[in-house]
Amino acid sequence: MEKSKKPKPSSKSRSRQPGSAAFAEFMTSNWENHPDNQALDFIPEKQFAAARRKKLSQRFPHDRLLIFAGETKVRANDIDYKFRPHSAFVHMTGLGMDYEPGAVLMFEPVSVRQNYKDKKKLHTHMCTLYIEPMKDRTTDEFYKSAKYDEFWIGKKPSLQMFEIATGIRVLPKSELKDVLKKNIDILGKTRMISEESSDEKLLEACAELRLVKDSWGIKQLENAVKVTKEGFEDVIRAIPKLTEQPRSEKAIEGIFAAKALAKGNGVGYESIVASGEHATTLHWMRNTGVLHRGELLLLDAGVEMDSLYTADITRTLPISGEFTHCQRKVYDIVLQAANTAFRQARPGNTFGSVHDAAMRVIAQGLIDLNILKISLEEALSENGGQHRRWMCHGTSHHLGLDCHDCADARRSEYIDGILEPGMVFTIEPGLYFKHDDMLVPREFRGIGVRIEDDVVITDDGVRNLSEEIPRNPEHVESWMKILWSS
Ligand code: GLY
Ligand code: MN
Ligand code: MN
């Protein structure tokens, strides 16, 4: 049997690039000489990343740490997805956008550099960023590879530019191999985060260091929410002319994405544009449906800034501009659950208790609607949970560089963790009644509602980063009316 071969991301079967020396000479000559000053499109706030590196360094004083940005991922054959660096790399370097495939951030214990043999003196690290420099313009490495060469992918910033932007020493990637062989005898562990394998403790530490956002991170999230509001407003303006149009969900997705691209790096996750019954499918992302008069549109979308911080907002909008009686009943329960969760979200309470507070309201609301036909105590007991049939997701998740941020943090620090000022997370209860759910009265079937806000814990409570995006039903209706009349 033939051995299976690794798929080659090549275009060999159709490439017609000439290979002669004369062609190489022709392609590499007569280019103007530019100064080496290709700026980064995105300049990070370097002192914030420096402070984060210091904290990580303190967690592993003896160890060599390697954080790989990652490589481009193949979409099919020789076409890649847009590159997205690992969030730990982004957090520790401050680099955003698509910087930089193949890059590696190394933390080397300082005493190693100073040749101390006494491990007790290992107390800090020197950081170096290893980056593949752009290839020489005078060789065929200028134009041959569609994946790596300047001719295809554009000029990239020089190592010096990366150094200026990040404040980290930058060296060519080719030097990393030899450096890794050095000092092994006097180092603690070598821990890494890479696509091939990652050290659990390092992953945990990087995630936990992101649980509390610094002022730069919060500012980025504020900006992301602000632009997300603009995206929602563009969507609302378009609703009347898209109602009853084929694939109007797709059109809505495009309208939101246009704002995200114009003002940031793009969307932070696949937008959920769920009209009518689609809203009861939690991960509806096909977005091929039609907006119908009288139904609801659940839009879950967030703009990701160039820094890669993303918003994550849901609003449930009446397509005709006003909620029906039944829609409003469901909406009011979800809003009450959200408001209860807001009151629970303050320093000293656990993250998990925010969910518990919301679920109590959801369960009681279902009892009041005569859908849940057991007592509140039974539903909330360990062997209960029946109300989860109609809201089977968590009320909150941390938010930041990843939509579901800090996912590698330990349970003790995440769900059982105590809320602290600077933590940013979502509050997003919902109720979802599928069209064929025989436990639900007919008038409620096919209704799905979620209200999702992004909040930051303050010294004495919580601040809703998305408070400018209307969420009370009367405010939603008047917001839509104003946008439709202007
Ligand atoms: N949009 C994904 C979420 O809300 O968690
Ligand atoms: Mn969310
Ligand atoms: Mn969401």
Side-chain angles (χ1 to χ4, degrees):
M1 215 173 79
E2 209 185 76
K3 264 193 175 176
S4 75
K5 286 180 197 147
K6 245 188 161 182
K8 276 187 212 148
S10 76
S11 54
K12 270 192 179 151
S13 54
R14 65 186 161 82
S15 174
R16 297 166 136 207
Q17 202 176 82
S20 71
F23 180 74
E25 168 61 26
F26 184 70
M27 286 298 284
T28 55
S29 56
N30 288 308
W31 300 104
E32 265 182 42
N33 242 340
H34 294 290
D36 184 19
N37 65 353
Q38 174 78 26
L40 266 74
D41 294 319
F42 170 76
I43 305 297
E45 288 287 305
K46 44 190 169 197
Q47 71 271 26
F48 289 93
R52 299 164 189 167
R53 291 195 297 277
K54 195 169 169 195
K55 284 188 190 157
L56 185 63
S57 163
Q58 285 163 355
R59 289 219 187 181
F60 302 99
H62 309 303
D63 300 341
R64 173 183 279 164
L65 312 178
L66 295 160
I67 302 178
F68 287 67
E71 300 289 345
T72 48
K73 288 190 177 57
V74 175
R75 180 180 172 132
N77 306 317
D78 57 341
I79 305 273
D80 291 336
Y81 287 104
K82 187 170 136 184
F83 176 66
R84 212 279 183 195
H86 193 288
S87 295
F89 179 86
V90 177
H91 195 232
M92 289 295 145
T93 60
L95 289 170
M97 296 184 81
D98 56 353
Y99 297 118
E100 174 58 32
V104 185
L105 175 66
M106 181 164 92
F107 289 66
E108 188 76 343
V110 153
S111 53
V112 171
R113 189 166 56 97
Q114 294 174 347
N115 252 336
Y116 291 151
K117 299 280 175 196
D118 180 359
K119 278 195 181 177
K120 288 202 183 81
K121 288 186 180 164
L122 297 163
H123 57 90
T124 185
H125 293 82
M126 166 145 188
C127 288
T128 309
L129 200 47
Y130 291 93
I131 295 181
E132 186 73 47
M134 201 89 232
K135 294 294 186 324
D136 194 336
R137 282 183 129 201
T138 63
T139 73
D140 66 4
E141 289 187 320
F142 168 50
Y143 66 88
K144 272 227 135 156
S145 161
K147 197 173 167 79
Y148 302 110
D149 294 350
E150 179 184 332
F151 199 85
W152 293 85
I153 64 167
K155 199 167 174 62
K156 72 181 190 186
S158 66
L159 301 193
Q160 196 194 357
M161 280 296 159
F162 275 111
E163 199 161 275
I164 291 166
T166 61
I168 305 171
R169 181 174 79 140
V170 180
L171 291 174
K173 175 93 177 280
S174 54
E175 294 186 18
L176 178 60
K177 219 171 151 193
D178 287 339
V179 171
L180 292 180
K181 288 182 200 147
K182 289 184 190 156
N183 301 322
I184 308 273
D185 50 330
I186 53 167
L187 279 171
K189 276 190 165 185
T190 294
R191 301 179 188 270
M192 68 169 91
I193 292 179
S194 79
E195 274 161 2
E196 269 92 64
S197 73
S198 289
D199 177 86
E200 204 183 320
K201 288 270 164 275
L202 183 57
L203 271 178
E204 247 170 46
C206 286
E208 289 170 11
L209 285 173
R210 300 210 304 275
L211 284 167
V212 173
K213 270 64 186 172
D214 51 33
S215 58
W216 160 255
I218 291 171
K219 186 82 207 150
Q220 292 300 311
L221 286 159
E222 284 170 350
N223 291 343
V225 170
K226 194 163 156 251
V227 185
T228 298
K229 181 187 183 210
E230 292 177 29
F232 272 68
E233 293 189 331
D234 286 355
V235 163
I236 291 173
R237 282 189 199 95
I239 286 176
K241 71 171 188 293
L242 288 175
T243 303
E244 308 299 339
Q245 295 302 307
R247 288 167 72 93
S248 28
E249 288 180 351
K250 254 314 164 216
I252 298 277
E253 182 183 346
I255 288 163
F256 186 83
K259 181 64 76 183
L261 290 166
K263 296 282 186 86
N265 193 54
V267 291
Y269 55 92
E270 294 297 324
S271 301
I272 296 170
V273 187
S275 61
E277 210 264 325
H278 291 158
T280 69
T281 302
L282 291 179
H283 288 172
W284 174 257
M285 287 182 286
R286 196 174 298 134
N287 302 348
T288 49
V290 176
L291 272 62
H292 291 300
R293 250 170 241 114
E295 292 189 337
L296 295 174
L297 169 66
L298 183 157
L299 174 61
D300 182 343
V303 174
E304 179 186 76
M305 304 311 288
D306 288 342
S307 58
L308 303 182
Y309 283 88
T310 186
D312 178 12
I313 303 286
T314 307
R315 287 294 179 265
T316 307
L317 307 163
I319 290 168
S320 305
E322 282 176 21
F323 292 95
T324 65
H325 178 70
C326 283
Q327 290 165 352
R328 180 65 194 264
K329 269 188 140 169
V330 181
Y331 195 99
D332 284 347
I333 296 168
V334 175
L335 184 63
Q336 200 198 339
N339 290 342
T340 305
F342 269 85
R343 285 191 290 275
Q344 185 66 22
R346 57 174 184 267
N349 286 344
T350 64
F351 182 88
S353 74
V354 176
H355 174 67
D356 296 341
M359 290 315 279
R360 173 172 282 271
V361 177
I362 289 287
Q364 183 61 54
L366 287 162
I367 291 167
D368 296 344
L369 289 180
N370 204 27
I371 290 173
L372 191 60
K373 296 191 174 78
I374 55 173
S375 70
L376 183 63
E377 288 65 38
E378 196 182 341
L380 297 177
S381 70
E382 206 170 318
N383 293 323
Q386 292 86 342
H387 54 291
R388 300 288 304 245
R389 176 175 171 124
W390 299 287
M391 180 190 155
C392 66
H393 58 79
T395 304
S396 300
H397 57 79
H398 278 271
L399 180 72
L401 288 168
D402 289 327
C403 175
H404 291 179
D405 208 29
C406 314
D408 291 311
R410 286 165 292 179
R411 192 179 171 87
S412 59
E413 307 302 304
Y414 199 127
I415 193 152
D416 296 332
I418 305 289
L419 297 178
E420 284 178 46
M423 286 183 166
V424 176
F425 53 88
T426 64
I427 291 183
E428 52 174 307
L431 273 173
Y432 314 91
F433 300 129
K434 292 193 185 286
H435 73 97
D436 52 356
D437 188 337
M438 289 161 62
L439 297 183
V440 173
R442 283 200 185 275
E443 64 268 30
F444 291 114
R445 292 191 199 171
I447 293 178
V449 172
R450 178 163 63 255
I451 307 168
E452 178 173 24
D453 285 282
D454 301 341
V455 307
V456 56
I457 294 293
T458 60
D459 288 339
D460 55 1
V462 70
R463 178 161 68 94
N464 186 1
L465 297 173
S466 42
E467 69 187 350
E468 301 277 310
I469 309 179
R471 55 199 284 285
N472 286 315
E474 294 87 3
H475 296 165
V476 170
E477 288 174 350
S478 53
W479 184 38
M480 296 178 76
K481 223 166 262 157
I482 289 165
L483 288 169
W484 286 349
S485 62
S486 59

